[in-house]
Amino acid sequence: MKSEAQDLSGPVKVMLVDDHQTMLWGLQTLIDAERPRMAVVGTARSCAEALAGAAQLLPDVILLDLDLAGVSTVEFLPELLANGVSRALVLTAAHDPELLDLAVRRGARGILHKEVTAEQVIKAIAKIHGGELWFDAGTMERVFGQMLGWRRALRPDPPAEKHAALTARERAIVSAAVEHSGSANHEVARRLFISEHTLRNHLSSIYRKLDVSNRLGMYVYAIRHGLVPPQPQPQPQPQPQPQSEQDAPRHERLNGH
C-alpha cells in the first residue's frame, strides 16, 4: 500500500484499489489534478493492502475494481467499509448484472464502467462523497425492485394477521354463523350449545378482529378470504322428461289406439 503524507483535511480523500499499475497511475493523476477539491490518499493492488488502507487512512471514497488478479473484491466489500467512514465506488470492466447487483447489496454506492470519461469519474466521486448514489437506470430498477420485493414478502399479510387473532372458539362460531346464515342468533346459539348473550359477546369480538360491523359483513369476509370453506350450492334436481309415443310401453300405445 502506498500512502500520501499531506494534510488532506479539506479535499475529498480517495483511495484507489486496482491490480494494474498503469490504471492506478492514470487515476491518481486524474484525481490529484482536482486539488484542492479532492486528492488520492493511498493506493492498493491487493485485498490485504486495500483492507489495511481503509482501516488506517479512513478515505472518504474507495474507488475499486471488482477483480484483483482473479480475486473478487465483492467478497470483502463489507469489511472494507467497516470503518464507518468510507463509501465504495466500483470502477470495473465487468457487465455481469448479477455481480454488479451483488456489489450494490454489499455496500457499493455507485458503479462506473471503465469506458466512462474522466469527467464522469470525477463527478461520480463527488456525488458519492456527498451522500448520493451513482447507478445506471437498469441497476437501479433491478436492485431496488428486489429490495421492495423482499419488503413486501416480509410484510405481514393483513388477512392472515386477522385470522391468527381469532380463537378456536371464535373460528367455530364463524363457521356456524356462515353455515346457518339464514338463522337468527338464538338459533345459531342453540346449535352451539351456548346462550344468545354469550354468542353476542363472541360476535362482537369477532367483528372487531375482522374489522366488520355485522353478521353479513362477517359472512362476506369469511367467504372472500377463505376463513371457512365455500358453502356447497344446492344441485338442481333433474326434471323427468316426457316420453315420446315410441318410448311409451307397448300396452299403453295399444290402449291409446
Side-chain angles (χ1 to χ4, degrees), residues 51-115:
L51 290 171
Q56 294 170 15
L57 302 172
L58 302 178
D60 298 311
V61 177
I62 300 174
L63 183 61
L64 75 159
D65 193 359
L66 290 181
D67 184 1
L68 298 183
V71 178
S72 175
T73 58
V74 173
E75 299 302 323
F76 66 92
L77 250 178
E79 189 177 354
L80 194 64
L81 303 174
N83 59 33
V85 175
S86 302
R87 292 167 176 165
L89 173 60
V90 170
L91 179 62
T92 180
H95 289 269
D96 179 5
E98 290 188 7
L99 177 63
L100 299 181
D101 293 353
L102 180 59
V104 177
R105 291 197 295 271
R106 293 200 172 178
R109 295 291 189 94
I111 294 175
L112 288 169
H113 295 286
K114 287 190 174 180
E115 60 266 24

Side-chain angles (χ1 to χ4, degrees), residues 1-2 12-17 24 31 39-44 49-55 57-64 80 86-87 89:
M1 178 187 65
K2 179 182 177 183
V12 178
K13 297 181 290 184
V14 182
M15 185 175 79
L16 305 175
V17 181
L24 287 175
I31 295 167
V40 174
V41 294
T43 61
E49 288 183 355
L51 290 171
L57 302 172
L58 302 178
D60 298 311
V61 177
I62 300 174
L63 183 61
L64 75 159
L80 194 64
S86 302
R87 292 167 176 165
L89 173 60

